[in-house]
Amino acid sequence: LKIASSLQWIEHTPQPYAIKNFFNGSATLTSGGVANLASDKSIDLAANAETQGLLQYASHKNIRMIYTIVDVPYRIVANKASGITKLSDLKGKKIGTMPGTSAGYFINQMMANAGLKSGDYTVVSGNVCMKTPCGAGTFPQMISNKQVDAFGIWEPAVELGANALGSNAVIFQNASIYREVYSLFTTTDKLKDATTRKSIVAFIKALNQALDVFKNNPDKVYQTVASAVGMDAAVVKAVWPVHKWSGTLASDLVDFMTEEDQYLAKQNGRATTSKTDIAAFVDSSIIQEAAAL
Ligand SMILES: *[C@@H]1O[C@H](CO)[C@@H](O)[C@H](O)[C@H]1NC(C)=O
Ligand SMILES: *[C@@H]1O[C@H](CO)[C@@H](O)[C@H](O)[C@H]1NC(C)=O
């Protein structure tokens, strides 16, 4: 199996752990994501947030979402010294995030829920940081320097930003408004090929075994995860509860992604993907076959 995945984030780490400890076949991880499924026929699987999945699915209807590795209810850290104690205080403020990613959508949803439209605050782009000291242009550094009043992105940048602010840090999180749904994707062509499908099912079984360790025995993996993505093990442990290791496809996914696609379609000036098409995007058959192995 050839798997395209960002190799930088905590979310991806059950894959190398499954390959090393549980998968009997041969699998290689290459840096990339779901976009590679569309451009490179040799890629069998790809891992990304649902956001990148939806962006690709809009023009590649043969892509399928087959497994959620982890749900991550992202967090926002804000600076109390900027006068922020509740989300609506972000009106008129500078908020760091990465537009065009799941984090950009997360900020939009959190702000909308607090009654703020996109013109009510300024989005500032920046970079993440995996380990202190965080350099110029990274969000933890930018919040310390007051270049932003708050920021929201995947971990551990939020944790490092909160550490930098100390008692001035205020955290906002609401899983019912938004969670990243970091998942595995493939194509209908790969699923139709009996040999490839068998390998994918076996890989999902191995991932289930990896997630069992991540959920129930995390002390065994903090250091491995830290080494894989260049973090300190203590910070991995601190942000562990933000990561809801999954192994399923949630029942609300079709509605959740239909709503998200409306936002993405508007951002990209394209037609929305219908709810019927999004239902076809989610294929739970591989999870069922892996459970029967
Ligand atoms: C999360 O958002 C929902 C929907 O707006 C709201 O009902 C709930 O009170 C929020 N929870 C927290 C902890 O703010
Ligand atoms: C790997 O092979 C062993 C021995 O045949 C088997 O017990 C195990 O279930 C296999 N693991 C996976 C993930 O298929």
Side-chain angles (χ1 to χ4, degrees):
L1 292 175
K2 247 175 104 175
I3 309 167
S5 172
S6 162
L7 308 176
Q8 305 169 69
W9 317 133
I10 297 169
E11 285 91 324
H12 99 278
T13 54
Q15 299 173 90
Y17 194 82
I19 292 169
K20 182 159 185 255
N21 297 290
F22 301 114
F23 187 52
N24 294 323
S26 131
T28 40
L29 281 174
T30 61
S31 178
V34 68
N36 298 97
L37 283 174
S39 62
D40 180 351
K41 296 266 175 284
S42 77
I43 299 294
D44 301 300
L45 289 167
N48 251 143
E50 85 292 350
T51 309
Q52 302 308 320
L54 287 168
L55 290 172
Q56 292 301 320
Y57 185 63
S59 50
H60 302 281
K61 291 289 185 299
N62 64 330
I63 295 177
R64 292 292 177 272
M65 177 189 238
I66 58 166
Y67 184 87
T68 297
I69 294 175
V70 61
D71 289 289
V72 191
Y74 288 161
R75 304 187 297 168
I76 294 174
V77 58
N79 191 348
K80 272 187 206 156
S82 299
I84 301 156
T85 54
K86 54 187 189 303
L87 274 177
S88 56
D89 294 335
L90 285 165
K91 191 174 164 86
K93 303 292 187 194
K94 293 194 284 280
I95 308 178
T97 194
M98 279 191 200
T101 70
S102 51
Y105 179 61
F106 159 66
I107 291 295
N108 180 77
Q109 293 302 93
M110 291 289 275
M111 293 302 106
N113 200 67
L116 304 185
K117 297 182 297 295
S118 59
D120 290 336
Y121 54 92
T122 307
V123 168
V124 180
S125 297
N127 294 316
V128 297
C129 170
M130 301 304 284
K131 186 183 169 104
T132 55
C134 295
T138 67
F139 293 122
Q141 176 71 0
M142 288 164 79
I143 204 165
S144 299
N145 289 347
K146 305 215 168 156
Q147 290 167 262
V148 295
D149 302 296
F151 70 87
I153 193 91
W154 45 89
E155 301 295 338
V158 174
E159 181 72 15
L160 299 178
N163 291 348
L165 291 179
S167 60
N168 271 333
V170 50
I171 299 268
F172 303 104
Q173 184 186 36
N174 189 328
S176 72
I177 296 173
Y178 183 75
R179 72 199 195 261
E180 175 197 31
V181 186
Y182 184 91
S183 301
L184 269 186
F185 302 86
T186 185
T187 65
T188 50
D189 300 330
K190 298 292 177 183
L191 293 176
K192 269 186 224 144
D193 182 295
T195 311
T196 308
R197 186 182 183 100
K198 204 173 165 207
S199 298
I200 292 173
V201 171
F203 183 65
I204 292 297
K205 185 184 172 188
L207 264 181
N208 285 339
Q209 291 170 285
L211 289 187
D212 182 54
V213 180
F214 276 54
K215 282 185 220 178
N216 300 316
N217 239 326
D219 278 328
K220 275 176 80 171
V221 297
Y222 293 141
Q223 188 53 57
T224 309
V225 169
S227 304
V229 297
M231 287 175 62
D232 290 317
V235 178
V236 171
K237 188 174 179 176
V239 300
W240 205 252
V242 184
H243 298 82
K244 316 292 178 196
W245 303 104
S246 175
T248 59
L249 286 163
S251 58
D252 70 342
L253 266 184
V254 174
D255 288 330
F256 177 84
M257 291 197 290
T258 301
E259 186 188 347
E260 180 169 352
D261 190 72
Q262 288 172 12
Y263 167 87
L264 298 174
K266 205 168 156 193
Q267 294 279 305
N268 293 297
R270 63 156 165 87
T272 55
T273 305
S274 70
K275 186 170 174 177
T276 310
D277 278 349
I278 292 192
F281 178 41
V282 182
D283 182 344
S284 58
S285 64
I286 297 294
I287 289 182
Q288 286 160 15
E289 287 169 37
L293 268 193

Short mmCIF file of all heavy atoms in Angstrom, two decimals, residues 113 174 176-177, ligand 1:
data_model
loop_
_atom_site.label_atom_id
_atom_site.label_comp_id
_atom_site.label_asym_id
_atom_site.label_seq_id
_atom_site.Cartn_x
_atom_site.Cartn_y
_atom_site.Cartn_z
N ASN A 113 -21.18 31.17 15.62
CA ASN A 113 -21.96 30.75 16.78
C ASN A 113 -21.98 31.81 17.88
O ASN A 113 -22.89 31.86 18.70
CB ASN A 113 -21.39 29.44 17.32
CG ASN A 113 -22.39 28.71 18.17
OD1 ASN A 113 -23.41 28.25 17.68
ND2 ASN A 113 -22.13 28.64 19.46
N ASN A 174 -15.58 23.90 21.50
CA ASN A 174 -16.95 23.38 21.53
C ASN A 174 -17.11 22.33 20.44
O ASN A 174 -17.30 22.66 19.27
CB ASN A 174 -17.95 24.52 21.35
CG ASN A 174 -19.37 24.06 21.60
OD1 ASN A 174 -19.71 22.90 21.33
ND2 ASN A 174 -20.21 24.95 22.12
N SER A 176 -19.44 20.45 19.70
CA SER A 176 -20.72 20.38 18.98
C SER A 176 -20.78 21.44 17.87
O SER A 176 -21.60 21.35 16.97
CB SER A 176 -21.91 20.49 19.93
OG SER A 176 -22.03 21.80 20.42
N ILE A 177 -19.90 22.41 17.90
CA ILE A 177 -19.84 23.40 16.80
C ILE A 177 -18.90 22.92 15.71
O ILE A 177 -19.22 22.96 14.53
CB ILE A 177 -19.41 24.78 17.34
CG1 ILE A 177 -20.46 25.30 18.30
CG2 ILE A 177 -19.17 25.76 16.19
CD1 ILE A 177 -20.07 26.56 19.02
C1 LIG B 1 -21.59 24.65 22.31
O1 LIG B 1 -22.40 25.12 21.28
C2 LIG B 1 -23.75 24.72 21.39
C3 LIG B 1 -24.44 25.15 20.11
O2 LIG B 1 -24.40 26.52 19.94
C4 LIG B 1 -24.34 25.34 22.64
O3 LIG B 1 -25.69 24.92 22.78
C5 LIG B 1 -23.54 24.89 23.85
O4 LIG B 1 -24.00 25.55 25.00
C6 LIG B 1 -22.06 25.20 23.63
N1 LIG B 1 -21.29 24.60 24.71
C7 LIG B 1 -20.37 25.27 25.39
C8 LIG B 1 -19.64 24.49 26.42
O5 LIG B 1 -20.15 26.45 25.20
#
